[in-house]
């Protein structure tokens, strides 16, 4: 849907002042009228992306003059396209989706980074003999050609010395890839850890994750994105949305169990599904493990490292994730820190978060 205009009684100038344009205090006044704003998630609502719903339930957006509608997505690439096409005002999209679409010329930019590791890697069963990169040789590796991580498998292999001519690559349907590993039709799969680990765990299948980030093959994860025209014309809206989302993220970091109860109340089908609660808890913990990063700790929530973005552009180009005719990308165009860094956690708060996410960080090789 197109971005809605503020009601007549709420002028643009009053909106910019009230919504907290750059430099305004973080606390926002109560609003007699609110502005309807829509946001899309990258996929179905789950523990790795539900924080805008938490903020909606707790009034973090309403106090900033926003009546927020949260919708599920159909993958980060499609979600980013939906924002660019004005179906939604903003989006929560994994960096890879934004990168691909910006290389196609779509006018998008990230306003804040929430997750700092997309958790690309290989997933194997707990009893698998695969322990090191060279162990993949002679094995069958399942992958989904259209998945976010698939293009980077070859980059990981090149970086770690895997001879892919000795690896059988098996193309799988996205709906069947975890089942193929579970049934031992393949020896390993390429995966996004926060997606595939909870699926198998909810089925009682124990796995081990081999992270590609250990070899320097990494991308940012969830980011808040908007159209460049929205950023230029409505910085007050962008600031209010970033602040509302990051306040929501911090709440889930500090109160993970209370946050999940909000999710189960808002999406009761999750709690009713077999293994649904544990799936949500696990996907939340894995996503939160990626939020503990120097960028957020040193510069404040939402901050993006421009030098790291440059390296990610180079990695995507080498991996073939970008089309040959892709638009040249400038790191500063991919993300702005204009709206980030206003919300910060104390050292003691970060220490508490680290303790909470330690078991999940261990699951994906981050601890």
């Amino acid at each position: 849907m197109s971005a809605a205009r503020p009601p007549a009684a709420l002028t643009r100038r009053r909106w910019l002042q009230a919504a907290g344009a750059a430099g305004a205090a973080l606390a926002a006044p109560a609003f007699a009228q609110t502005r309807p704003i829509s946001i899309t998630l990258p996929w179905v609502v789950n523990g790795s992306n539900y924080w805008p719903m938490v903020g909606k339930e707790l009034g973090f957006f309403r106090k900033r003059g926003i009546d927020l509608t949260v919708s599920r997505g159909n993958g980060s690439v499609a979600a980013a396209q939906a924002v660019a096409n004005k179906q939604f005002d903003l989006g929560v999209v994994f960096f890879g989706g934004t990168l691909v679409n910006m290389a196609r010329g779509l006018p998008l930019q990230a306003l804040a980074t929430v997750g700092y590791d997309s958790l690309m890697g290989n997933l194997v069963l707990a009893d698998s003999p695969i322990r090191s990169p060279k162990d993949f040789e002679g094995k069958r590796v399942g992958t989904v050609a259209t998945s976010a991580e698939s293009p980077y498998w070859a980059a990981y292999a090149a970086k770690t010395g895997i001879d892919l001519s000795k690896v059988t690559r098996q193309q799988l349907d996205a709906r069947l890839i975890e089942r193929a590993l579970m049934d031992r039709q393949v020896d390993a799969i390429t995966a996004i850890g926060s997606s595939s680990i909870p699926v198998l765990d909810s089925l009682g299948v124990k796995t081990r994750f081999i992270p590609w980030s250990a070899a320097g093959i990494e991308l940012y994860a969830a980011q808040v994105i908007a159209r460049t025209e929205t950023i230029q014309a409505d910085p007050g809206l962008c600031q209010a949305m970033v602040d509302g989302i990051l306040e929501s993220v911090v709440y889930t970091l500090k109160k993970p169990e209370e946050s999940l109860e909000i999710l189960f109340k808002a999406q009761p089908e999750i709690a009713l599904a077999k293994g649904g609660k544990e799936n949500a808890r696990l996907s939340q913990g894995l996503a939160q493990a990626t939020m503990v990063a120097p960028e957020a700790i040193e510069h404040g929530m939402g901050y993006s490292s421009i030098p790291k973005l440059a390296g990610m552009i180079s990695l995507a180009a080498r991996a073939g994730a970008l089309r040959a005719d892709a638009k040249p990308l400038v790191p500063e165009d991919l993300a702005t820190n204009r709206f980030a860094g206003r919300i910060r956690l104390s050292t003691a708060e970060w220490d508490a978060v680290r303790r909470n996410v330690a078991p999940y960080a261990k699951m994906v090789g981050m601890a």
Side-chain angles (χ1 to χ4, degrees):
M1 63 186 73
S2 299
R5 294 187 177 280
L10 189 60
T11 66
R12 174 177 172 76
R13 183 174 181 179
R14 287 174 59 199
W15 164 256
L16 290 174
Q17 293 172 340
L26 185 58
F31 281 75
Q33 296 173 296
T34 57
R35 177 181 182 179
I37 296 296
S38 61
I39 190 167
T40 178
L41 301 179
W43 193 240
V44 295
V45 180
N46 61 42
S48 70
N49 62 29
Y50 75 102
W51 7 272
M53 299 185 70
V54 171
K56 178 180 173 68
E57 294 297 318
L58 295 177
F60 295 165
F61 296 99
R62 185 164 291 275
K63 74 180 181 181
R64 293 179 168 90
I66 295 168
D67 179 14
L68 187 66
T69 298
V70 184
S71 299
R72 64 152 290 173
N74 291 290
S76 287
V77 172
Q81 290 171 348
V83 174
N85 294 333
K86 301 186 179 181
Q87 294 172 258
F88 299 95
D89 299 301
L90 291 95
V92 172
V93 175
F94 269 54
F95 171 76
T98 308
L99 181 69
V100 167
N101 281 299
M102 288 190 66
R104 294 172 179 170
L106 296 188
L108 299 167
Q109 189 176 44
L111 308 179
T113 296
V114 180
Y116 293 92
D117 187 335
S118 59
L119 296 181
M120 298 188 296
N122 293 103
L123 199 60
V124 300
L125 296 177
D127 61 357
S128 171
I130 298 175
R131 294 283 175 178
S132 66
K134 294 295 284 185
D135 292 338
F136 283 103
E137 295 177 5
K139 303 296 192 299
R140 298 160 299 166
V141 177
T143 188
V144 176
T146 57
S147 64
E149 83 287 344
S150 185
Y152 299 93
W153 164 234
Y156 173 73
K159 195 74 177 286
T160 56
I162 301 171
D163 184 349
L164 286 181
S165 69
K166 299 178 181 179
V167 178
T168 300
R169 179 168 173 151
Q170 192 164 327
Q171 298 290 351
L172 297 169
D173 185 284
R175 295 166 295 181
L176 302 175
I177 188 166
E178 287 90 8
R179 173 64 64 175
L181 179 64
M182 176 180 174
D183 292 343
R184 300 180 186 267
Q185 298 171 22
V186 293
D187 301 296
I189 60 174
T190 69
I192 299 294
S194 55
S195 296
S196 292
I197 292 174
V199 169
L200 287 161
D201 190 85
S202 68
L203 296 173
V205 180
K206 297 305 178 184
T207 58
R208 280 189 291 107
F209 186 70
I210 301 172
W212 296 347
S213 58
I217 308 300
E218 58 184 331
L219 299 176
Y220 278 162
Q223 295 181 309
V224 182
I225 67 167
R227 294 182 297 279
T228 51
E229 66 181 75
T230 302
I231 300 169
Q232 294 164 4
D234 225 336
L237 167 65
C238 296
Q239 189 68 72
M241 282 296 298
V242 168
D243 288 345
I245 288 173
L246 294 181
E247 185 176 2
S248 305
V249 170
V250 168
Y251 185 91
T252 67
L253 285 170
K254 292 181 177 180
K255 300 182 177 182
E257 292 302 322
E258 292 92 330
S259 300
L260 287 174
E261 289 305 316
I262 293 173
L263 170 63
F264 300 148
K265 182 178 179 180
Q267 300 280 298
E269 63 274 16
I270 293 177
L272 294 173
K274 182 180 179 181
K277 284 190 173 182
E278 183 55 32
N279 185 306
R281 184 169 289 105
L282 186 51
S283 58
Q284 173 184 254
L286 292 171
Q288 289 182 342
T290 75
M291 298 176 188
V292 184
E295 291 93 322
I297 296 169
E298 297 170 12
H299 301 281
M301 300 296 293
Y303 187 87
S304 306
S305 167
I306 302 303
K308 283 189 178 181
L309 289 174
M312 292 173 195
I313 293 172
S314 177
L315 170 63
R318 295 195 312 271
L322 306 179
R323 296 189 317 198
D325 60 347
K327 173 186 174 183
L329 295 172
V330 178
E332 290 82 359
D333 291 342
L334 287 176
T336 176
N337 286 313
R338 176 181 181 183
F339 308 102
R342 289 158 53 100
I343 299 177
R344 292 173 176 265
L345 273 65
S346 68
T347 299
E349 289 171 331
W350 276 119
D351 287 342
V353 170
R354 286 191 187 91
R355 289 193 295 271
N356 287 339
V357 304
Y360 306 102
K362 185 177 180 180
M363 292 178 69
V364 288
M366 298 178 67

